[in-house]
Amino acid sequence: MGSSIRQPKLSNLSPSVIAQTNWKFVEGLLKECRNKTKRMLVEKMGREAVELGHGEVSITGVEENTLIASLCDLLERIWSHGLLVKQGKSALWSHLLHYQDNRRRMMAGSLGHTVLFLDIERRKSDPNPAMAPMKISLVQDMLHIQNIGEIKTDVGKARAWVRLSMEKKLLSRHLKQLLLDHELTKKLYKRYAFLRCDDEKEQFLYHLLSFNAVDYFCFTNVFTTIMIPYHILIIPSKKLGGSMFTANPWICISGEMGETGVLQVPRSILEMTYECQNLGKLTTVQIGHDNSGLYAKWLVEYVMIRNEITGHTYKFPCGRWLGKGMDDGSLERVLVGDLLTSTPDTEERPCRTPPLQHSPGMIRRLVAISPSSRPKLNTGQIQEAIGEAVNGIVKHFHKPEKERGSLTLLLCGECGLVAALEQVFQHGFKSPRLFKSIFIWDFLEKAQAHYDALDPSDTALGEEWQKRVRTFSRFITAINGTPRNIGKDGKFQMFVCLGARDHHLHHWIALLADCPIIAQMYEDTALIKDHTLVNSLIRVLQTLQEFNITLESSLIKGINI
């Protein structure tokens, strides 16, 4: 982690000795900064850093908070070096306060418009073209910290500001802007101070720029009780009279640390800001309406939500109808989202440390649109999609806990287990007559009715087989009994998630493949009728048996089982 370097006492020394001693101290600070930034990046990148030749597996157990606290200590020593007069417990926060006061005075004067342009600008690489871009403001980020009542000390405020700047990938940029106020630096520091050594200062900022290579959630995860404003944008389809929508919509946002509860959305206002306790990383959005009015049909393209403090933006694709008699008749849907990433700003120099490398993405064949317009895959493609979905879940559990992504995305995302199993059951599904839509859930209900009609006293069926039948029927009944208006596709999603959680999924596939109902509802070439392919599917799903899958409450809300 680097040695603990302390500022030397320079009193009663000759000028040449002062220069040499101070130079050694400055060089030591730079070396420690270089070591700390490399260590933090390698730790954050985990195993991928090892693959890129940046460390050993043994270093991946260090806590992120310890590393960030160590960086904050280093920043305090840098900002303490060569101070004319010590002010407050935190040299960094004291400098920030001086900068904030200068900006306020200048904005109140004749240069207000110019300074506002320099201090508040739009991020060029904002990943969110539908929303108004976030504004970059060092002073605004300070105000966020000053409004958090649970932070009492100057040292705590400085550390919170550093954490927030790292999470927004703006630490180097903010510090560079702070140090561009040369008059303030000259006013606060002696000539030999580190912050007045231009070459060393540039190297220091260059090392901090490397933090842009990875995503940090160090601010959001530490301050769990603060109030966060979330900007919500709902994008309805422009097709088929979306402006005629008469029902009253609502939305519920869920994250790793909680959920908002149901938020009523005015019909004419589909963009709003809602403040609530920190939700952490966002995972799902539940969206629906009350089916009121003459035109209670709503086609939603997607929902976007942005944390207005950290700037993290999430997109939740939908592309489905909400309304009775439309699509699968759902009045509400659970949308699974992911964090949008932005490209580094072009005016910043690229960092030497390679950026975080993601595993090769799965081919985006399964899109979140209406079932009738989904691409028809052959059996080989479907088997590959199932294998990729299950493999993604297996790899999730084999990663260290802090390196894991969203399990909900692996289950219910565009290339998740639910979407892959939908393709299994849709393959060879007989075309409905007279434009009547038939869904996978209709097949599951018919299979339940068939098995419920069998004589339970028939010993030829076997006790284990009957137990699986009873479990299958109990889950179908419970899902049908939910008070939520989730529609048939939503019920199938719940069926798959519960089956994966309770390790029944491969048993249910075997039951459905043996059910005589498939003769009525499937073509002879259907995958579900091919015993070799079904046995292969069962073996793949059995690999999930060893994992303890925990489902988000939004996925199984309303189920009593």
Side-chain angles (χ1 to χ4, degrees), residues 355-561:
L356 182 64
Q357 300 295 313
H358 295 284
S359 301
M362 293 183 291
I363 301 174
R364 298 171 67 87
R365 290 186 298 263
L366 310 176
V367 292
I369 52 181
S370 61
S372 60
S373 58
R374 284 199 178 106
K376 301 299 181 183
L377 307 183
N378 59 43
T379 54
Q381 291 173 317
I382 294 173
Q383 283 182 295
E384 184 183 353
I386 288 287
E388 289 176 340
V390 172
N391 190 44
I393 297 173
V394 172
K395 288 197 295 185
H396 170 87
F397 284 102
H398 279 96
K399 291 179 181 178
E401 188 170 350
K402 64 176 183 175
E403 295 181 20
R404 295 175 182 176
S406 169
L407 181 58
T408 301
L409 194 63
L410 295 174
L411 288 170
C412 305
E414 291 181 353
C415 295
L417 183 61
V418 174
L421 284 175
E422 280 182 352
Q423 292 288 347
V424 169
F425 286 103
Q426 286 170 358
H427 185 264
F429 215 40
K430 288 185 177 179
S431 301
R433 298 177 180 178
L434 300 176
F435 305 102
K436 180 182 178 182
S437 297
I438 297 183
F439 295 85
I440 299 171
W441 191 252
D442 296 319
F443 167 60
L444 299 184
E445 287 182 323
K446 288 180 181 293
Q448 179 199 16
H450 168 78
Y451 284 125
D452 286 349
L454 296 179
D455 185 0
S457 63
D458 187 353
T459 56
L461 298 176
E463 183 177 345
E464 184 64 25
W465 188 88
Q466 288 187 350
K467 181 180 177 181
R468 294 174 184 176
V469 166
R470 289 194 297 269
T471 302
F472 171 78
S473 181
R474 181 164 57 90
F475 274 76
I476 295 291
T477 301
I479 293 171
N480 272 331
T482 178
R484 299 170 67 186
N485 294 303
I486 54 176
K488 293 179 179 180
D489 283 343
K491 291 178 180 179
F492 178 76
Q493 174 177 286
M494 194 177 289
F495 174 81
V496 173
C497 290
L498 290 171
R501 183 195 70 179
D502 296 344
H503 304 144
H504 296 313
L505 206 50
H506 62 291
H507 293 317
W508 292 344
I509 295 293
L511 282 177
L512 293 168
D514 289 337
C515 183
I517 299 298
I518 64 172
Q520 305 171 18
M521 304 188 70
Y522 284 90
E523 305 288 349
D524 291 338
T525 57
L527 187 154
I528 197 70
K529 284 188 173 184
D530 189 320
H531 291 294
T532 302
L533 296 180
V534 169
N535 288 335
S536 175
L537 172 61
I538 291 172
R539 286 194 298 271
V540 171
L541 293 175
Q542 280 178 324
T543 60
L544 300 178
Q545 292 291 95
E546 59 182 290
F547 305 115
N548 182 22
I549 295 177
T550 302
L551 301 177
E552 276 191 58
S553 60
S554 60
L555 298 179
I556 55 174
K557 189 180 293 184
I559 283 290
N560 183 19
I561 199 167

Side-chain angles (χ1 to χ4, degrees), residues 99 338 501:
Y99 178 86
D338 201 6
R501 183 195 70 179

Side-chain angles (χ1 to χ4, degrees), residues 307-337:
N307 182 318
E308 290 294 277
I309 292 183
T310 66
H312 287 135
T313 306
Y314 300 80
K315 184 175 182 178
F316 299 85
C318 180
R320 301 288 298 274
W321 282 97
L322 291 90
K324 292 293 185 183
M326 300 296 294
D327 207 333
D328 64 340
S330 178
L331 292 183
E332 62 177 280
R333 297 193 184 277
V334 179
L335 312 181
V336 180

